[in-house]
Amino acid sequence: MKNAEKKEGISRRQFLSYSALGLAGLTILPSWAIDGVRIAPSDRIVLGFIGLGRQALSDFRGFAGCPGVQVAACCDVDTMKVARFQKRIAEWQKSKGMNERCDAYEFYEDLLNRKDIDAVEVVTPDHWHALITIHACQVGKDVYCQKPLAYTITEGLEMVKAVRNNKRVLQVGSQQRSSKEFQKAIELVQTGAIGHIEKIYARVGEPPTPLSLPEEAVPANLNWNQWMGPLNDPKIHYHPDLCPPISLNPEVNEKLWGAWRWYQETGNGYTADWGAHMFDIAQAAIGMDGSGPVEFIPKGYNGTEYATMKYANGIVMTEQPYLDDNDSAQGIKFIGTNGWIEVARGYLACSDPSKVPSELAGNRPLTPAQREAKRAQTAAQQSAQNEKNRAKSNALAFEISSPHMQDFIDCVRSRENPIAPVEVGCSTNTLCCLANISRELNRPVKWDPATLSFGKDKEAKSHRLYYYQYRRPYSLY
C-alpha cells in the first residue's frame, strides 16, 4: 500500500513502523479471574471497540456472553459516547471480578498500537470500515466488522487481500448466519426439499436517497472532521441525524439509528443495511457465497416492477415482498419446482409443514394493521402475550445474541474461518453496491463474478460505489 500523507499528527509510515516495533509503556495485562475462576493469558481474548454508537452497545452485550473475553480499549470521535461506553464496560467487568479499566482513544491508530489487544470490533459508519480493518490486519489484529463489509466494491476487495495476506480472522456481523431458522432454511434449499430453485423474493427495503438534511453547528463533543474521514463529497455536512447525539446526566441514548446509512453520499440504504442480511442468506442457500449475480436490472427500467438480479445458473432474485399480505416485512421466499420456503427473523415456513421443526417455526411477521392492534392491547393482555412469546426470537435478540460473537472468538483461538468470513461479506457487499449502481444509472449492469469486472462498461466502473478517490490525506492504496 502506498503511504498516505500525514494525518492528525501521525503519518501512515509512522503508524506502521510504530506498530511493528511496539510502543514503550504499553500495559501487558496479567492473568485475571472471571466469576472467581482464574483465566490464563493464553485463554483470554482482549478486545478493543472502534465506534461506540448504539450498535456497539448491542454487540458488546453479545461479546459479554463469551467466556474469556475482556474489553480493554475503546475509540470514538464523540467524547460522550466514549464516556457512556467506558461506564458500561466498567460496570460489567466489575460484576465479573475483572479489572474495570477500559482505555479511551479518539483516533483508532492509537488503539491499534496496543500490543495487548488481540482483536477489534469495527462498528463505525460504513465508509470507515475498510481503512480501519486493513490497518488492523496489518498490525496483527483479528477483526469483527459490522455489516455491510464496506461502502464500495473496491474497498471490500482490498479488505479480502488484507485479511488473507496478513493471515487474520475476520467475522462479518451478518449474524443471521448463526441463527437456527436461517441455517435450517439454507439446509432445506441445499438438500432439495423444494426441488430446483427458480426464483427468490428477498425483501430488504428502499435504496438510499440524496442527502437532504440541513446543515447544523457541530457540537463541541464531536470531531466531525474525523467522522468524515475519507469521504470527499463537499455536499456532506453535519446534521445530528447523521451522528445521533446522546446525553449522560441524565442518560438519554440515541433516538434513531445513524441516518448516514439512508443517504447515498454516506451509505447504501436498506439495499445494503438489510441486504447484508437477506441477500446474504439467499446467496448462501443457492451456493453463491464468494460469487453473485451476473446482471442487475433496476426497478422501473422498461417496466421492471422490482429490482432484479439474475444468476448465471438461471435463478432470478427480486427485491420484492415475500409475504402476500405484508409488503414491508423483511425476509426471503425461495420458490422451487416442488414448493416454497419462507424465512425471516423468528419465522420459518414451508409449503410442506412437516419439513419445519416446531421449535423453529416461530411467528409469522405481523402486518402493519396487526402491529397497531397489538399496540392497542391492554397492559394486562400485552403482559400475558409477552409471556407466551418470551422464548421466541425477535429483532433485539439478533442484535445482542452471542452465538455469532462466540463463533468469532472461537476462531480467533483456533485460527479457522468463521461462519461469515471476509470473502462472504465481500461478495454480499458487492451485490448490494451493484444493485445501487444499476439503480443510479437507471439501466441494466452486467458483472462478471469470476473476473470481478464490468467488462467494457466504463460508466459503471467509474461509479463511486465501485471506487472513489479518498479525501486527502487518506488513501486506500
Side-chain angles (χ1 to χ4, degrees), residues 440-457:
E440 290 190 27
L441 295 180
N442 195 30
R443 63 170 175 81
V445 167
K446 294 187 177 181
W447 174 257
D448 187 337
T451 62
L452 302 171
S453 68
F454 293 101
K456 297 181 179 180
D457 191 342

Side-chain angles (χ1 to χ4, degrees), residues 121-136:
E121 176 174 20
V122 179
V123 63
T124 62
D126 299 348
H127 66 273
W128 263 116
H129 285 187
L131 281 182
I132 297 174
T133 295
I134 290 169
H135 294 169

Side-chain angles (χ1 to χ4, degrees), residues 438-474:
S438 70
R439 181 188 60 84
E440 290 190 27
L441 295 180
N442 195 30
R443 63 170 175 81
V445 167
K446 294 187 177 181
W447 174 257
D448 187 337
T451 62
L452 302 171
S453 68
F454 293 101
K456 297 181 179 180
D457 191 342
K458 295 182 179 180
E459 185 181 28
K461 188 174 182 178
S462 65
H463 195 280
R464 75 179 187 289
L465 293 181
Y466 179 72
Y467 170 79
Y468 75 96
Q469 188 67 47
Y470 279 1
R471 183 173 67 120
R472 296 182 66 187
Y474 302 97

Side-chain angles (χ1 to χ4, degrees), residues 35-73:
D35 292 335
V37 178
R38 181 67 61 180
I39 306 294
S42 59
D43 292 330
R44 68 176 176 186
I45 301 297
V46 181
L47 295 179
F49 277 71
I50 302 175
L52 306 177
R54 63 189 295 183
Q55 185 67 55
L57 297 181
S58 294
D59 288 356
F60 159 66
R61 292 175 67 182
F63 279 113
C66 302
V69 166
Q70 182 178 13
V71 180

Side-chain angles (χ1 to χ4, degrees), residues 321-382:
Y322 77 105
L323 298 175
D324 294 336
D325 61 349
N326 194 343
D327 60 5
S328 63
Q330 284 138 331
I332 311 167
K333 185 169 188 172
F334 297 95
I335 302 172
T337 53
N338 296 326
W340 53 263
I341 294 167
E342 294 173 346
V343 63
R345 294 186 176 185
Y347 169 67
L348 176 62
C350 181
S351 53
D352 180 354
S354 68
K355 297 185 182 298
V356 177
S358 59
E359 67 272 17
L360 297 182
N363 296 322
R364 197 171 192 271
L366 299 177
T367 66
Q370 289 169 331
R371 285 198 302 270
E372 187 61 34
K374 187 174 183 179
R375 279 193 289 267
Q377 288 178 323
T378 66
Q381 289 173 323
Q382 186 65 64

Side-chain angles (χ1 to χ4, degrees), residues 52-59 81 84 123 146-147 175 213 239-245 253-263 270 273-274 277 345 395-396 398-400:
L52 306 177
R54 63 189 295 183
Q55 185 67 55
L57 297 181
S58 294
D59 288 356
K81 292 176 182 176
R84 177 182 64 179
V123 63
Q146 258 303 334
K147 59 78 197 169
Q175 69 270 21
L213 297 171
H239 185 280
D241 284 5
L242 296 178
C243 187
N253 296 319
E254 297 90 338
K255 296 181 187 286
L256 73 160
W257 290 102
W260 52 265
R261 51 178 49 82
W262 313 133
Y263 299 104
Y270 280 105
D273 191 58
W274 275 83
H277 290 307
R345 294 186 176 185
L396 178 61
F398 273 84
E399 299 304 332
I400 64 175

